[in-house]
Amino acid sequence: MGNLLKVLTCTELEQGPNFFLDFENAQPTEGEREVWNQVNSVLQDSESILTGLQAYKGAGQEIRDAIQNPNDMMLQERAWNSVCPLVIKLKTFYSFSLRLEEALKSLLESLTCPPLTPTQHLEREQALAKQFAEILHFTLRFDELKMRIPAIQNDFSYYRRTISRNRINNMNLDIENEVNNEMANRMSLFYAEATPMLKTLSTATTNFVTEVRALAQHNQPLKAF
């Protein structure tokens, strides 16, 4: 991925790449079609994810009222009913990050496989290169929005505390079927990051590079003694 970014930005290159990246008109070739379709099925949902995140309104007031009046079950229930739909939204965003991670892996495999260099891949597979750029663009937009919404972590913390206490009477806790403890733990780690989407993709890229290197070493012929 580092080499791809160097080519795109001309970083550490004496001269820029001597080809034109026509992102506006790039269309997938037959060789790109399978990966392009896979990635496109993810990217076509990216705008709705951003719209949902931008429209996110926390349950701050309801949570404050519930905390300040711990014996008022009506306020407890109102806070819980306000938080549950928000947690489902947060799960949707997190689940999309997993889909995006898989899409990135597919692109990395296609844009870095030998014998072509990253420059040659970008030149010949411009539709995939465009998708690579679109993933990076989405990542920056998502993380920028997330940093502006502190209510996300507040809402999710309240959700986890409430589930842990399990002392709410006559309240529907079926949401645990949607967000069980394991899922909640993973989501908590995701939203604890200042830039969660970038962290996810960075980790995916690091793992990809590690796997490629390990495979290359495994496939090297043994030297005779």
Side-chain angles (χ1 to χ4, degrees), residues 1-17 19 21 23 119 122 132-133 136:
M1 182 170 171
N3 288 335
L4 288 174
L5 292 175
K6 288 177 184 177
V7 172
L8 287 171
T9 62
C10 303
T11 303
E12 297 184 10
L13 294 177
E14 293 182 0
Q15 295 179 345
F19 63 90
L21 288 172
F23 280 172
T119 300
L122 291 174
F132 180 80
L136 295 180

Side-chain angles (χ1 to χ4, degrees), residues 81-98:
N81 290 337
S82 298
V83 165
C84 284
L86 296 175
V87 170
I88 297 299
K89 284 186 178 181
L90 294 178
K91 180 188 176 184
T92 299
F93 303 153
Y94 170 72
S95 297
F96 184 80
S97 77
L98 302 181

